[in-house]
Amino acid sequence: MERWRGRVALVTGASVGIGAAIAVELVRLGMKVVGCARDVAKIQKLAAECQSAGHPGVLVPFKCDLTKEEEILAMFAAIKEQHKGVDVCINNAGLSHPEPLLSGKTSGWKNIMDVNVLALSICTREAYQSMKERNVDDGHIININSMCGHHVFDFADLHFYTGTKYAVTALTEGLRQELRAEKSHIRATSISPGLVVTEFVSRANNPDQVAGIYASYKALQAKDLASAVTYVLSAPPHVQIGELLLEAIQ
C-alpha cells in the first residue's frame, strides 16, 4: 500500500458499515479519503476519531445525495479544486427495500436503481475522467458488489436488489473492456461479499426477519471488506483482480 500514501480515494456511503470501515482503514494506511454520504455528521465523527488515533492519512467528510447527479458532479468538482482529483474510487454505497417483483412499489425500485446502478456509473465515469485529465494511469475503481450479483436467492424481498447487483457485475466487466480498449492501466475490481453484519440488513428487511437471517447464516464483518479492499489495492500494478468473492465459513 506504500504507493497509495498521500493519494486521494473517494468512498461512497462512508457514514456506516462497510464504507466507514474502508474509509478508516485507508486513512490508517496514509491515504486522503473523501468519504461521502447524506449523513455527513457520522463521517465527521469518524474523521475526528482518525485524527485522535494519529493515523497518517486524513478523512474528508462530504455531504452528497447520490440519487442526485448534480450533487455528484458538484462533489467531483470540489475534489478537483481542493485535492486535484481522484486516484481511487470505491463505489460502496448501496441499498435495498423489501419490494418483491410481484407487489413492490415503483418508487422503491427507482430508489434502488438510482443508488446501486446509476450513482455507481456516474461516479465511475467522473473518476475515470478525473484520472485521465491528470494522466493518472495506475488508478483503481472498486465496486462493492454482492453474492446477489452472481446468484438469485429464493428470497422475494431481495429480487429487485439482486437485479441491480447483476448489473454491477456486468458493468464492472464492461468497464474493464472499455479501459482495455483505451489501453489504460487503470484497474477495475468487483468485490462480492455474502452476508455482512451492518445496518444494511435491518434497513432492507422487515424487522422480524433480521434476527432469523443472522441466526441462519454466519456473517462477515465490515472490517473483512476493508481488508479485501487493501488486498486488491496492494496487488502489483500489472495484476488486476477482476472479481473477489467473500463469504464467512459456516
Side-chain angles (χ1 to χ4, degrees), residues 79-105:
I79 294 172
K80 179 179 180 178
E81 180 181 352
Q82 298 168 20
H83 312 292
K84 296 185 179 179
V86 171
D87 301 303
V88 173
C89 178
I90 300 175
N91 290 307
N92 162 75
L95 57 79
S96 185
H97 303 293
E99 305 286 1
L101 299 178
L102 298 182
S103 59
K105 294 188 293 293

Side-chain angles (χ1 to χ4, degrees), residues 135-156:
N135 295 315
V136 172
D137 197 41
D138 66 341
H140 208 133
I141 297 168
I142 298 175
N143 295 329
I144 303 301
N145 197 346
S146 169
M147 286 291 189
C148 287
H150 306 272
H151 180 79
V152 182
F153 295 92
D154 187 12
F155 189 57

Side-chain angles (χ1 to χ4, degrees), residues 208-241:
D208 57 341
Q209 294 178 311
V210 175
I213 291 171
Y214 282 126
S216 301
Y217 303 97
K218 187 167 183 177
L220 297 165
Q221 301 295 318
K223 64 181 181 181
D224 298 324
L225 274 295
S227 295
V229 167
T230 58
Y231 169 73
V232 166
L233 289 173
S234 297
H238 69 285
V239 174
Q240 178 163 238
I241 299 171

Side-chain angles (χ1 to χ4, degrees), residues 8 34 62 72-86 126 129-131 133-134:
V8 179
V34 177
F62 201 99
I72 299 175
L73 298 181
M75 175 176 65
F76 274 92
I79 294 172
K80 179 179 180 178
E81 180 181 352
Q82 298 168 20
H83 312 292
K84 296 185 179 179
V86 171
E126 297 304 309
Q129 294 298 331
S130 173
M131 297 174 199
E133 71 181 21
R134 292 175 297 124

Side-chain angles (χ1 to χ4, degrees), residues 47-194:
E49 291 172 356
C50 288
Q51 187 173 20
S52 297
H55 295 334
V58 61
L59 177 56
V60 181
F62 201 99
K63 184 177 178 63
C64 181
D65 183 344
L66 292 170
T67 65
K68 299 176 180 177
E69 182 178 15
E70 63 271 19
E71 291 197 18
I72 299 175
L73 298 181
M75 175 176 65
F76 274 92
I79 294 172
K80 179 179 180 178
E81 180 181 352
Q82 298 168 20
H83 312 292
K84 296 185 179 179
V86 171
D87 301 303
V88 173
C89 178
I90 300 175
N91 290 307
N92 162 75
L95 57 79
S96 185
H97 303 293
E99 305 286 1
L101 299 178
L102 298 182
S103 59
K105 294 188 293 293
T106 304
S107 59
W109 294 343
K110 284 183 176 179
N111 188 221
I112 299 169
M113 182 69 74
D114 282 345
V115 175
N116 294 7
V117 177
L118 291 179
L120 176 145
S121 298
I122 295 167
C123 287
T124 295
R125 180 191 68 204
E126 297 304 309
Y128 170 71
Q129 294 298 331
S130 173
M131 297 174 199
K132 183 180 179 181
E133 71 181 21
R134 292 175 297 124
N135 295 315
V136 172
D137 197 41
D138 66 341
H140 208 133
I141 297 168
I142 298 175
N143 295 329
I144 303 301
N145 197 346
S146 169
M147 286 291 189
C148 287
H150 306 272
H151 180 79
V152 182
F153 295 92
D154 187 12
F155 189 57
D157 284 353
L158 281 180
H159 284 161
F160 192 87
Y161 167 82
T162 295
T164 66
K165 287 303 184 177
Y166 263 77
V168 172
T169 300
L171 289 169
T172 309
E173 176 56 30
L175 174 61
R176 277 194 293 271
Q177 292 181 14
E178 291 190 28
L179 289 169
R180 190 160 54 242
E182 292 292 320
K183 301 190 185 314
S184 171
H185 295 100
I186 295 169
R187 296 181 292 180
T189 300
S190 165
I191 299 179
S192 298

